[in-house]
Amino acid sequence: MLELEHKFARLGGDVAVTDGTAISGYASLFGAIDQGGDVVEAGAYAASLARLAQAGGRVKMLWQHDPTEPIGVWDEVREDARGLWVKGRILTEVARGREAATLIGAGAIDGLSIGYRTIKARKDDKGLRHLSELELWEVSLVTFPMLVQARVAAKGDDPGDAALRRLAAAFQDARRVLGADQARQG
């Protein structure tokens, strides 16, 4: 039997929960190396999402990967050229949902993580694991992210506006490099 795995994605400083409940953004980015040495390839979720749609199922929204703590629903889960984009609603009628919305709004929670099983993967000569087919089970709101490039979109962001996102990521990377250089010098 294949083992359940988790892959984390950072929400970042532009986290937005609109109307107290709506949340959207990328739970996974294609081609990005995460802190565990994994790279999700484009199309890795396609078969899983198709099977879920055919069966009338949906990807679950959990709190910290705890299957006893569903906190909302993902209304839309899809692949695009950049990665796995999710859009959903945190249910504030659930106690943990109210807590999650408050923590995200305050910036205390800044991560998404996917729960999945690996169907197809290969290792390259650098030791990176390339994930080409995954069975997606859930996307959780989490405290500690692994993939720092993925973000939840702010209200009004268009997931198709890749050029602006790349520019913002370049500025963020530059700030990180400058901060590291200043720390070494000072």
Side-chain angles (χ1 to χ4, degrees), residues 2-87:
L2 296 174
E3 179 178 326
L4 179 65
E5 298 179 69
H6 300 113
K7 184 129 336 280
F8 301 92
R10 183 172 183 75
L11 296 177
D14 60 350
V15 173
V17 176
T18 56
D19 301 325
T21 64
I23 187 168
S24 64
Y26 285 94
S28 175
L29 296 175
F30 298 138
I33 302 169
D34 73 13
Q35 295 178 41
D38 287 343
V39 179
V40 178
E41 295 180 351
Y45 303 102
S48 178
L49 294 175
R51 281 190 301 272
L52 274 172
Q54 184 177 14
R58 36 168 66 175
V59 175
K60 306 299 183 199
M61 181 190 294
L62 301 179
W63 177 252
Q64 307 283 355
H65 295 296
D66 186 340
T68 66
E69 299 253 17
I71 59 168
V73 293
W74 294 116
D75 297 314
E76 187 175 353
V77 179
R78 63 178 162 82
E79 285 187 329
D80 63 17
R82 187 167 186 225
L84 182 71
W85 189 78
V86 295
K87 178 181 178 183

Side-chain angles (χ1 to χ4, degrees), residues 60-139:
K60 306 299 183 199
M61 181 190 294
L62 301 179
W63 177 252
Q64 307 283 355
H65 295 296
D66 186 340
T68 66
E69 299 253 17
I71 59 168
V73 293
W74 294 116
D75 297 314
E76 187 175 353
V77 179
R78 63 178 162 82
E79 285 187 329
D80 63 17
R82 187 167 186 225
L84 182 71
W85 189 78
V86 295
K87 178 181 178 183
R89 296 168 282 128
I90 297 172
L91 300 177
T92 56
E93 298 81 6
V94 175
R96 187 67 79 190
R98 283 191 300 278
E99 293 173 21
T102 300
L103 290 167
I104 291 170
I109 294 293
D110 63 354
L112 285 176
S113 178
I114 60 172
Y116 64 95
R117 286 191 317 163
T118 301
I119 305 299
K120 291 182 187 172
R122 67 174 173 77
K123 287 252 185 182
D124 68 15
D125 58 351
K126 297 176 185 172
L128 297 175
R129 187 171 69 145
H130 293 262
L131 307 173
S132 59
E133 185 178 347
L134 301 174
E135 181 181 354
L136 183 63
W137 288 9
E138 53 96 2
V139 177

